[in-house]
Amino acid sequence: MNKIDHLQQIIDSSNHIVFFTGAGVSCDSGIPDFRSVDGLYNQKYAYPPEMILSHSFFMKDPLEFYRFYHDKMLYPNALPNITHNFIAKLEAMHKCDGVITQNIDGLHQKAGCKKVVELHGSVHRNYCTSCHKFYDLDYMIKHDGIVLCSCGHIVKPDVVLYEESLKEKDLDEALNLITNADCLIVCGTSLKVYPAAGLVRYYQHDKLVVINKDSTDYDQYADLVINDSLSNVLSQIKL
């Protein structure tokens, strides 16, 4: 049996599928992985992205943080692609229990997914660091430089920066989905960012699928590994 047929069989025989998604899922929507530094990167930024997107850097140099954030992290015109729509359709068919994502772009919800655990937060939620007033993505886009609240204090995106902890509520929801899943499909992630990646090990059944262009540290535990683009793989699956 080839790998596509094997994946088809796994999906057909499962009724509680959970997807664990990373940056590779949104690449087909025109959102690059910020770790894939472009050729102009070093001419524009004096620090690596992991440093800029850290809590300490946000506190120390919010102007440079927001310069990078506006330039590299916000894609308001991005639309869901085949992977987002595939997952949403499975959920509508009552075969998918939910999505656990490391992405912050909100495209799973835009595709129609109802149960989405956003481990690293969302660009669509932003809060004043003082009065906690809420601001949407449009507000953030319209304001260049350091984004300030009407009270005068800085607004922080509700995204988990390096050095910050994941929310206990999100971790609990993710663990509940994974432990009750009869199939876990990992899509578009290298599984190198912890603690998020460590959640995969809580899946204890025999239908762990990893679909990613490159190999991951969890391939040895997977029941099916497909190293190919998500669009190519999922376009061959019949629902």
Side-chain angles (χ1 to χ4, degrees):
M1 182 186 300
N2 67 42
K3 291 189 174 186
I4 297 298
D5 289 341
H6 190 184
L7 178 59
Q8 182 78 62
Q9 183 184 71
I10 287 174
I11 290 174
D12 290 344
S13 65
S14 303
N15 294 299
H16 298 283
I17 302 170
V18 170
F19 284 83
F20 186 96
T21 68
V25 167
S26 294
C27 288
D28 286 335
S29 294
I31 302 179
D33 182 350
F34 71 82
R35 292 178 188 82
S36 303
V37 175
D38 58 64
L40 297 176
Y41 180 86
N42 291 326
Q43 298 177 32
K44 296 177 67 175
Y45 303 102
Y47 310 95
E50 286 84 357
M51 181 181 291
I52 298 174
L53 293 175
S54 68
H55 177 81
S56 56
F57 193 93
F58 174 78
M59 300 299 291
K60 180 181 71 174
D61 193 349
L63 181 61
E64 184 67 0
F65 169 89
Y66 266 117
R67 188 166 79 94
F68 180 87
Y69 187 77
H70 280 105
D71 184 31
K72 294 289 185 181
M73 307 301 289
L74 301 182
Y75 293 85
N77 299 318
L79 297 174
N81 59 54
I82 183 173
T83 305
H84 301 105
N85 294 327
F86 182 91
I87 297 171
K89 186 172 182 179
L90 274 178
E91 187 185 70
M93 294 168 63
H94 304 291
K95 286 178 69 67
C96 173
D97 287 353
V99 184
I100 303 163
T101 187
Q102 299 171 91
N103 298 337
I104 60 175
D105 50 46
L107 289 182
H108 283 299
Q109 291 93 329
K110 193 176 283 190
C113 290
K114 306 299 183 187
K115 179 63 175 179
V116 182
V117 179
E118 296 174 307
L119 293 175
H120 295 156
S122 173
V123 297
H124 295 274
R125 299 187 300 269
N126 307 275
Y127 297 91
C128 174
T129 54
S130 178
C131 72
H132 306 294
K133 182 177 179 180
F134 172 86
Y135 290 97
D136 62 13
L137 179 58
D138 287 341
Y139 183 87
M140 306 300 281
I141 292 170
K142 290 174 183 175
H143 290 76
D144 293 328
I146 300 174
V147 182
L148 298 177
C149 174
S150 57
C151 75
H153 289 84
I154 192 169
V155 174
K156 181 184 180 295
D158 187 21
V159 299
V160 178
L161 302 177
Y162 289 97
E163 303 167 351
E164 294 181 340
S165 300
L166 303 188
K167 295 178 181 177
E168 288 294 328
K169 172 179 173 292
D170 294 330
L171 285 171
D172 289 343
E173 286 187 30
L175 283 171
N176 184 60
L177 281 172
I178 288 173
T179 55
N180 289 293
D182 60 4
C183 171
L184 179 62
I185 302 179
V186 178
C187 294
T189 172
S190 61
L191 294 174
K192 292 186 183 300
V193 178
Y194 286 82
L199 292 169
V200 175
R201 73 175 184 268
Y202 288 94
Y203 178 74
Q204 300 295 325
H205 302 293
D206 61 356
K207 288 188 280 189
L208 173 60
V209 178
V210 176
I211 309 172
N212 194 52
K213 285 185 176 181
D214 303 311
S215 61
T216 78
D217 292 340
Y218 280 78
D219 289 0
Q220 59 185 314
Y221 307 111
D223 301 284
L224 175 62
V225 177
I226 304 179
N227 294 132
D228 198 352
S229 70
L230 285 160
S231 58
N232 185 48
V233 172
L234 298 182
S235 63
Q236 300 179 68
I237 300 299
K238 297 178 177 63
L239 297 182

